[in-house]
Amino acid sequence: MKKKIIITSILIQMLLLGGCGNAIPDLSDEDMHKVEEYAAGLLLKYDAGYETTVISDMEIEEERARLEERARIKQAALEKRAAEEAARQEREEAKKAGEQEGGSSAPAAPVYTDINDFFSLSDVNISFTGISVTDRYPESVSDNDWQGVVSASKGNSLAVFEFTAVGLSGGMLDMASAGAHFAVKINGDGTKGALTTLLLNDLQSCRQEIAAGESVSLVLITEVPEGTEIEKAELIMRNGSGRAVMLLK
């Protein structure tokens, strides 16, 4: 065992010192872990006495729970950041409106429009198709699907706003480059920023080629208190300094 540890240490040092000149790369904890795993794998490969082991179901469940908790904490941080950004923009807009109206702090009347008109979409047409409330999105994923899964924090549910993008003449739908930011107002309450996710079909960060006649499903997600029934909803759209509202329900 002592021999294995020494050899592993030597392998790691060789990997770290390899490369251009004598420079030692500044590795993150994750990269260091990968180096250690690689070195251990080489050691085991040439160890005649090595025998594979099977990870127990309990260990798998413990690791799954650990990863889900990390994802929940990250998602909560993203939601807080989105809410703070939406609130900041609302305050700035109210301040600008007050200055324009001679010192009044009352916000300007909302400008209502369609998402396609607001973002000047010509090759693609986006239509709102519905709202669902769930605890997790997507509810199921394939084993090889690397995209993130969004889970509601304790005491909340996810409001999933669903859209369909249809290619008209074939072209790129690039919401990220358009500086698209979305928020929603549900049942007339305060504004909630759309969550930043790793979903492949997140409308806010979508960058996808859509052929003529092709249909693509997209979503925007925010959190609502458990038991919320959505009777009215407005989509608040921003593209840099522009702002408009689209009535959803």
Side-chain angles (χ1 to χ4, degrees), residues 34-35 122 132 156 162 171 197:
K34 291 179 180 178
V35 170
S122 57
S132 61
N156 292 297
E162 301 162 353
T197 76

Side-chain angles (χ1 to χ4, degrees), residues 154-175:
K154 186 176 181 180
N156 292 297
S157 297
L158 299 178
V160 182
F161 295 81
E162 301 162 353
F163 300 82
T164 299
V166 178
L168 300 178
S169 57
M172 177 71 72
L173 176 61
D174 192 350
M175 302 302 284

Side-chain angles (χ1 to χ4, degrees), residues 182-245:
F182 296 96
V184 292
K185 182 174 287 188
I186 298 174
N187 297 337
D189 294 334
T191 303
K192 290 178 172 290
L195 297 179
T196 301
T197 76
L198 297 177
L199 297 172
L200 299 178
N201 63 332
D202 189 329
L203 173 60
Q204 190 161 244
S205 58
C206 178
R207 190 175 189 277
Q208 181 176 348
E209 188 81 24
I210 302 179
E214 182 182 3
S215 177
V216 176
S217 297
L218 301 168
V219 297
L220 290 171
I221 299 177
T222 191
E223 276 197 329
V224 295
E226 282 183 353
T228 297
E229 294 185 6
I230 301 177
E231 299 176 353
K232 179 182 178 182
E234 299 174 322
L235 177 66
I236 300 167
M237 305 173 287
R238 296 186 177 88
N239 61 351
S241 59
R243 180 185 187 276
V245 178

